[in-house]
Amino acid sequence: MSDTSYVILTVASVDFSYRETMTKLMSQHSKDLITNAGAKGTRFGSIGTGEHAGSLIFIQFYDELNGYQKAMEFQSESPVFKEIMDSGKVNVYLRNIATSLPTKFENSTEHPKYIVITRAEAAMSDKDKFLNCINDTASCFKDNGAITLRFGNLLTGSNVGNYLLGVGYPSMEAIEKTYDELLAHSSYKELMTFAKVNMRNIIKIL
């Protein structure tokens, strides 16, 4: 999947008995959004850690916000989405829009098995400095097995303005290796002097 400008994150609590059915329906819904509504890609998974542990997350990627508007219009007429919402077993409680800035990390077309999403607080005036630190550590992520990396700002929600980093991995081992090396990296240490991490979640892709 190529780099995109916007990321939409939707989080829902789902009855355990409905998860298998919803996973199958979301697979079809994802294909429909890509084919009919201009989504450049999607990810669907289970949040395993952090404040939303146990919930399911749907991530969509768009080149422009008009694409997301088209997706919402399509979704309102989608029989698959209607079936999900009419089940009474799904409660959508969070939907945020984030930017996705260009980085030096070369994203792979391979689908990750896990995504680590990190949210951090820092001044908007530190945006360039933050991006430089991400670019300086890009090789650390890549060399230890990361498949995709996206970085930007939240445009909506209670944490609007916070920075968001999403990194896809092929395994938990790759996550562990990345953070072992990252903690010793000079640019990561610099980043921790002006940014405060307030969330880190591991998502298992379904």
Side-chain angles (χ1 to χ4, degrees):
M1 181 171 52
S2 61
D3 291 338
T4 54
S5 298
Y6 295 96
V7 180
I8 316 298
L9 305 102
T10 304
V11 181
S13 57
V14 180
D15 285 4
F16 187 78
S17 62
Y18 192 67
R19 289 188 173 217
E20 186 176 348
T21 299
M22 185 169 175
T23 299
K24 292 176 182 177
L25 290 171
M26 287 303 296
S27 176
Q28 182 57 53
H29 186 54
S30 295
K31 292 174 185 175
D32 290 344
L33 288 175
I34 292 169
T35 302
N36 302 306
K40 296 303 178 182
T42 66
R43 299 283 185 266
F44 180 66
S46 174
I47 302 175
T49 61
E51 59 189 286
H52 301 292
S55 294
L56 300 185
I57 185 168
F58 185 49
I59 306 172
Q60 304 168 67
F61 304 94
Y62 293 93
D63 285 335
E64 54 186 26
L65 285 180
N66 281 342
Y68 177 55
Q69 180 181 350
K70 184 178 178 182
M72 292 294 285
E73 292 168 355
F74 171 81
Q75 193 166 271
S76 68
E77 302 294 330
S78 165
V80 174
F81 188 74
K82 185 177 187 301
E83 181 178 345
I84 292 170
M85 299 313 295
D86 285 352
S87 70
K89 297 180 179 181
V90 179
N91 175 39
V92 174
Y93 64 88
L94 178 70
R95 182 176 286 120
N96 279 337
I97 300 173
T99 60
S100 182
L101 303 173
T103 70
K104 291 182 179 179
F105 189 95
E106 187 175 343
N107 286 309
S108 168
T109 55
E110 183 182 348
H111 283 207
K113 294 181 179 178
Y114 297 91
I115 295 176
V116 178
I117 293 182
T118 302
R119 189 182 68 211
E121 224 177 308
M124 288 305 293
S125 58
D126 287 329
K127 190 171 189 175
D128 289 342
K129 187 162 59 169
F130 207 137
L131 183 57
N132 287 339
C133 287
I134 295 298
N135 283 328
D136 287 345
T137 56
S139 61
C140 175
F141 287 100
K142 177 68 78 173
D143 293 346
N144 286 289
I147 296 170
T148 59
L149 183 149
R150 296 179 191 278
F151 171 72
N153 290 100
L154 283 167
L155 297 179
T156 62
S158 57
N159 299 103
V160 63
N162 278 198
Y163 295 86
L164 207 64
L165 175 68
V167 184
Y169 297 90
S171 66
M172 291 290 284
E173 181 186 7
I175 297 172
E176 182 179 6
K177 285 171 60 181
T178 298
Y179 279 90
D180 283 347
E181 186 173 322
L182 199 59
L183 290 171
H185 199 290
S186 59
S187 289
Y188 182 79
K189 291 179 179 179
E190 180 190 353
L191 178 60
M192 290 299 97
T193 65
F194 64 85
K196 179 183 178 183
V197 173
N198 55 30
M199 184 200 75
R200 180 171 286 128
N201 288 340
I202 298 177
I203 297 162
K204 187 181 188 313
I205 300 303
L206 301 175

